[in-house]
Amino acid sequence: MDADVKRKGPMSLKPQFVTVSERGLKARARSRRLERAVYRAYREGRQTIALIRTDMREIETIITGFTEIGIPTTTLTPAAVVSRPARHVREALSNGAGVVVLPLAGGPYWQEQVVGALRYSLALPAPRDLDREEAGGLDAPVPAVPLKLAMLGCGVVGSAVLEALLAEAGHVTVSAVMARDLERHRARFPGVQFVHELDELFATSPDVFIDLGSREAPSLEAMRRALRAGVPVITANKQVLAAHYDELKGLAGETPLAHSAAVGGSTPVLECVRHLAGEGLVEIRGVVNGTVNFVLSRLAAGASLEDALAAARKAGLAEADPSDDLDGHDAAAKASLIARAAFGRTPQEPVLRERLAEALDRHQAAVAEGRLRQITQVAPDADGVVRARAEFVALEADDPLLRCRDAQNGLVLRLRDGRSHAVFGLGAGGRPTAAAVLADLEDILHARVRSAVSDRAVANG
Ligand SMILES: NC(=O)c1ccc[n+]([C@@H]2O[C@H](COP(=O)([O-])OP(=O)(O)OC[C@H]3O[C@@H](n4cnc5c(N)ncnc54)[C@H](OP(=O)(O)O)[C@@H]3O)[C@@H](O)[C@H]2O)c1
């Protein structure tokens, strides 16, 4: 670390400021839209101050949504928003809130007052108006022809995504879902076409393919097929991606191969890394395996490894064979995807990884004190060679990653000029991972609208 950085000490990045309003939508659509809009802003890698013009009931629904997907959120009371907003916002930000929600019941006059007070006291630029930006996604007017989606997998993540997509009927339609146990899925989702074969899935000519399968087969083949046909892909499958990244990226060309959910669940790991890559990112350090972190939390509470794993399986976090997680393969695959996003290349040597079983022997005291975490670290060395490791570390009491408990993930990104940014969320589970998949889908929808607008502009001369 250079002398200048040492002198300045760590500083946080400036937060971003956004406004969004209910815009007269129907109640259910309204809270979904507000939650989605603020989450997509949070994905961009800054603490987010969100001034939301809606009523308190709506705000409570949004907060429940953020809690379910694991975004650390502080909500001010309407009275605090109109009296001394800057003081409360500053306090919430320094306590580590990812999103600070400011509910505003009044009209444009009050909005102007609050925006003015915050900009003046916190030296913020004018807020981004998400109402304008969101107009292109699932919140745009219902299109004449809905977007056709095909999915592989209807397990923990797939079923959460499917549930959310079915609520968006009109904008999207699910043409088919591929799985193994079709009867079970049909009983839960009557009306959805479930199929066994890739041929049947792609015979529905989807506009977007969502891969939520659990293994290489048939996910890899399905992604190849989609990308060869120019169909955008969204996947949560980090093992397949990390192992076949160059091939899949090559096939994709300009076609989106979105994979936010592959690292961090709802924690916007790859988005933050990409946003900060151009600002002199020198190190990424984080907890990126929710299952291992959940097991460590149980061990700290006195459970045996066997009981901790049983609890993780019961919570839908661990597979029957948890070796991918416990032996560090999962964290290593994620480290490789983080290195790509941050530095444009994979680590030169295989990611150094440590097995949980070995670490538990070495760190008995730290386990009992709740200080042991599996830390994934990615950074270039002095020669610019990217190195990555996933090992168990007994953290100091002031380490921000100690905040990661249970299935929570967190990341600290350090910049060359001494600034740093921490981001948190839930690293595993159906609903948090589905939030990342849906945000990727929104990105694709927005890009389509942008490209249709520019095509029209070209056509009109
Ligand atoms: N769970 C999480 O918290 C989490 C978090 C981040 C990323 N991810 C990633 O998300 C993906 C899905 O995870 P998950 O937890 O939802 O897995 P899961 O519960 O095991 O579901 C996997 C799905 O894939 C289907 N499938 C597997 N092999 C198949 C085959 N040969 N043919 C047809 N269908 C097949 C299964 O069908 P049946 O249901 O019919 O057996 C099941 O619906 C994985 O890549 C995982 O690494 C998961």
Side-chain angles (χ1 to χ4, degrees):
M1 190 183 286
D2 60 42
D4 193 37
V5 170
K6 261 194 186 148
R7 185 169 46 76
K8 282 191 205 157
M11 295 179 292
S12 290
L13 292 179
K14 229 181 194 342
Q16 65 172 337
F17 186 18
V18 302
T19 59
V20 61
S21 72
E22 62 180 27
R23 253 196 358 195
L25 295 166
K26 289 212 178 74
R28 185 153 156 60
R30 200 153 60 204
S31 47
R32 267 205 318 268
R33 167 179 176 270
L34 292 171
E35 178 190 315
R36 244 185 346 239
V38 178
Y39 174 60
R40 286 188 74 234
Y42 175 67
R43 291 217 311 168
E44 294 182 10
R46 308 260 163 168
Q47 285 177 293
T48 302
I49 305 163
L51 184 63
I52 306 183
R53 249 171 60 202
T54 189
D55 62 45
M56 224 28 223
R57 228 181 5 193
E58 217 70 70
I59 294 286
E60 274 155 25
T61 316
I62 298 166
I63 302 310
T64 309
F66 281 175
T67 309
E68 281 172 15
I69 62 177
I71 304 303
T73 306
T74 301
T75 309
L76 303 196
T77 62
V81 172
V82 290
S83 61
R84 302 180 67 185
R87 201 188 73 182
H88 298 291
V89 167
R90 205 180 275 122
E91 192 178 306
L93 292 173
S94 63
N95 285 337
V99 175
V100 187
V101 172
L102 283 68
L104 186 69
Y109 169 78
W110 281 108
Q111 173 152 340
E112 223 172 89
Q113 298 301 309
V114 176
V115 167
L118 285 173
R119 288 192 61 190
Y120 176 75
S121 307
L122 303 175
L124 295 170
R128 278 167 58 190
D129 179 356
L130 298 187
D131 287 341
R132 285 167 185 246
E133 293 177 26
E134 288 302 304
L138 289 169
D139 306 304
V142 173
V145 184
L147 194 82
K148 235 194 281 175
L149 309 174
M151 283 175 52
L152 165 59
C154 191
V156 174
V157 183
S159 59
V161 169
L162 186 54
E163 226 162 59
L165 291 176
L166 294 177
E168 301 296 343
H171 283 93
V172 296
T173 172
V174 179
S175 61
V177 180
M178 179 170 161
R180 290 173 297 202
D181 184 353
L182 305 193
E183 289 318 309
R184 184 164 53 89
H185 300 309
R186 281 179 185 138
R188 181 164 171 200
F189 296 104
V192 173
Q193 189 194 351
F194 284 94
V195 299
H196 261 141
E197 303 293 334
L198 281 181
D199 283 345
E200 297 171 89
L201 192 70
F202 284 102
T204 63
S205 307
D207 299 308
V208 176
F209 168 62
I210 304 179
D211 163 45
L212 300 166
S214 49
R215 295 271 156 221
E216 183 154 315
S219 288
L220 176 60
E221 197 42 44
M223 284 195 261
R224 284 179 177 144
R225 267 176 97 145
L227 293 172
R228 275 193 203 113
V231 172
V233 168
I234 300 171
T235 180
N237 204 325
K238 64 244 141 189
Q239 297 290 7
V240 173
L241 258 185
H244 302 274
Y245 192 90
D246 287 329
E247 182 206 333
L248 291 171
K249 254 323 217 189
L251 281 176
E254 296 297 304
T255 305
L257 171 57
H259 55 278
S260 174
V263 187
S266 70
T267 321
V269 170
L270 296 175
E271 292 74 20
C272 282
V273 167
R274 274 190 215 112
H275 276 88
L276 297 183
E279 297 203 32
L281 192 53
V282 289
E283 185 198 62
I284 301 119
R285 199 173 149 268
V287 171
V288 294
N289 183 302
T291 309
V292 167
N293 211 59
F294 181 91
V295 166
L296 287 172
S297 290
R298 291 298 141 120
L299 295 177
S304 66
L305 181 56
E306 211 170 68
D307 288 348
L309 275 170
R313 281 194 197 99
K314 198 164 167 216
L317 300 173
E319 293 183 29
D321 171 9
S323 54
D324 251 17
D325 294 315
L326 304 191
D327 293 351
H329 295 289
D330 178 271
K334 288 169 177 168
S336 159
L337 293 171
I338 290 172
R340 293 259 188 199
F343 306 112
R345 53 196 190 275
T346 45
Q348 190 155 311
E349 284 162 16
V351 179
L352 206 70
R353 58 182 175 82
E354 187 182 16
R355 300 172 60 213
L356 177 68
E358 287 152 17
L360 291 182
D361 286 341
R362 278 200 301 119
H363 292 289
Q364 286 177 7
V367 173
E369 290 160 14
R371 291 192 297 115
L372 194 70
R373 299 287 184 279
Q374 184 193 43
I375 299 295
T376 297
Q377 190 180 14
V378 182
D381 66 15
D383 299 324
V385 175
V386 177
R387 311 244 174 233
R389 51 180 62 215
E391 59 190 354
F392 290 87
V393 179
L395 298 183
E396 300 294 331
D398 61 351
D399 196 311
L401 295 175
L402 260 190
R403 272 180 56 184
C404 297
R405 297 206 183 84
D406 297 325
Q408 243 193 341
N409 278 195
L411 206 70
V412 178
L413 301 107
R414 199 163 58 77
L415 304 185
R416 187 170 297 116
D417 63 7
R419 289 177 300 159
S420 69
H421 178 60
V423 65
F424 296 90
L426 271 176
R431 174 98 160 81
T433 312
V437 171
L438 291 168
D440 277 350
L441 177 63
E442 284 265 317
D443 287 347
I444 290 172
L445 288 169
H446 278 259
R448 287 168 82 96
V449 170
R450 275 198 303 275
S451 110
V453 168
S454 78
D455 285 353
R456 256 202 312 276
V458 171
N460 294 338

